[in-house]
Amino acid sequence: MRLTAILILLMAWCCAGYRILVVFPLAGGRSHSILGEGVVRHLLAAGHDVTYITGIPSKLSAPRLRQIDVSANSWIFKPEDLCDIDKILTHGREIFFDYTIARQQLKLNNYTATHKDVQKLMLDPKEEFDLVVIEWLFNEFLVGLSSVFNCPFIWLSSLEPHGLVLSLIDEWTDPSYVPAVHSKAVPPFTFAQRISELWAVFTQKYVRWQLISEEQVLFDRVFGPAVAMRGRQLPLLEDMKYHASLILGNSHVAVGHPTKLPPSYVPIAGYHIQDKPLPEDLQKIMDNAKNGVIYFSMGSMIQSKRMSESLKQGLLAMLGSLRQTVIWKLEETPENVPKNVHIVSFAPQQSILAHQNCVLFITHGGLLSTNEALHFAVPILGVPAFADQFQNVNRAVQKGIASQVSLSYDLPRELKVAIEEMIGNPKYREKVKELSFIYHDRRAPGSELVHWAEHVVRTRGAPHLRSAALLVPWYQKMYLDLLALVFVLVLSSVFVIRRLLSKNIDVNKKNR
Ligand SMILES: *[C@@H]1O[C@H](CO)[C@@H](O)[C@H](O)[C@H]1NC(C)=O
């Protein structure tokens, strides 16, 4: 009897899960799929059914997980072409938000939505979802999925909060103290920086504006039929994109900017981090490193193997002259590897940083890497290369947990100076411990993620979080209408007074 009761309860519990569609279409760039997989993992663990549209299919397998592989679109964005170290060194090529990137992301989203398996999902009337979670990547095209399934949606933003995303749920950030996405500046700004940040607002809005009409046509073509088939009418993209219930942000104030955020922005940096044991060989290497371990990785987008041979040899010779053990993530093993240097083609980064002997992390400064460094309290030596990395590293430097070295052919010499300074000076370790404490002193980001996703479903899209700022046009926010009114009043009073005065003068003239 009791057993059946328990079984019934268990069934009720297990089947109370929601059906959630998680969309991370980027195929190039491991870091975005790490974030996507983190979302999927937490939602599965909370008992939900997850359909995962992904550019890099996950190795996770669970009865409640269904993956839709859109890796066929990987040709659209090839990070290794954009993030080639030698190209950056010789041409100063940097990736920043501009028309090219905006176009590319629209293209990626279009090809994702028109992928045959995604179309099959959209055109199957039996498919239903309670929630869509979409990675926001410089384009909002995929909100069409929320229109198709007539359910609320959440953006996942991989970056620090910035105007482009916050304007979707509230309003643009104040350029006088919040840096634009991909800006290198860290507040407080100088006069010149403030002007350049203001300029960025206009250029970024202009870039978005240029695509609006083309996006709308494509939106109707791609999502119109599936919505019509379900007996509804497709809203305008320009309306839909402002209807997110929430933004889950891969940010935390301990490494980020303390700026004002609407209640519909929930920072959950670090939710992707997992406790995993080190592989045996690395465990042994790290346990035996009497002088500590320096971990060197330029991330997954930059392929260090595309560095010139001379730069690589210069780095190896420099690393060989250190007292510390070095683990260098490099996709191939070069010649002349010194005894204290261990080359790994794949690095379990989180587990390496988690080891107590890890004393320094040489990184490109991607947000996942800087977050992980903070999570495990390891000081950062940043060598930023593109996108938000400059800002992440500059911020970490300002907070006292990092040094920065610029990517140049003089890298080996400059790195050595910085490494010696950072190892010799305890202030970096002390500061990173302090900030790491602040970062950990909160509810676990994974359970925040689950709680807020469920909250959105339970409250049918959380309309109570919706900011009134979305309803107020920009000129009203700046009180330009009042200014216009005052201007008209002053102008007409001047006019009236002048008329009266001139009449008086005329009367006076007559009386004389
Ligand atoms: C959108 O996708 C369709 C089909 O995959 C393709 O034929 C079309 O050229 C794409 N348009 C753009 C602007 O990317």
Side-chain angles (χ1 to χ4, degrees), residues 103 107 110-111 114 214 218:
R103 273 225 82 81
K107 190 168 167 186
N110 166 50
Y111 276 89
T114 53
E214 187 187 338
L218 208 54

Side-chain angles (χ1 to χ4, degrees), residues 29-42:
R30 224 11 237 135
S31 43
H32 294 270
S33 70
I34 291 175
L35 288 174
E37 205 172 290
V39 172
V40 170
R41 203 160 29 80
H42 286 295

Side-chain angles (χ1 to χ4, degrees), residues 32-75:
H32 294 270
S33 70
I34 291 175
L35 288 174
E37 205 172 290
V39 172
V40 170
R41 203 160 29 80
H42 286 295
L43 292 175
L44 285 174
H48 301 299
D49 284 317
V50 177
T51 300
Y52 183 35
I53 299 180
T54 173
I56 303 182
S58 161
K59 290 197 189 75
L60 282 173
S61 84
R64 286 160 174 265
L65 171 65
R66 168 173 58 159
Q67 301 202 54
I68 298 182
D69 175 357
V70 292
S71 58
N73 297 335
S74 61
W75 58 273

Side-chain angles (χ1 to χ4, degrees), residues 346-411:
F346 167 77
Q349 175 158 307
Q350 297 171 13
S351 317
I352 293 175
L353 293 172
H355 195 287
Q356 58 181 15
N357 285 348
C358 189
V359 291
L360 187 65
F361 179 18
I362 307 177
T363 167
H364 61 319
L367 201 51
L368 289 192
S369 292
T370 49
N371 282 342
E372 287 169 13
L374 189 70
H375 188 102
F376 298 110
V378 180
I380 298 165
L381 177 46
V383 192
F386 63 89
D388 62 327
Q389 295 163 4
F390 294 95
Q391 196 186 112
N392 300 337
V393 173
N394 284 342
R395 240 181 5 243
V397 170
Q398 192 192 41
K399 287 177 187 268
I401 61 169
S403 281
Q404 182 180 163
V405 164
S406 49
L407 203 51
S408 74
Y409 285 112
D410 206 16
L411 192 59

Side-chain angles (χ1 to χ4, degrees), residues 304-305 307 312 328-332 334 343-346:
S304 345
K305 69 175 180 196
M307 260 184 233
K312 227 179 294 178
W328 185 4
K329 197 215 118 197
L330 198 63
E331 299 75 15
E332 51 168 22
I343 307 284
V344 290
S345 59
F346 167 77

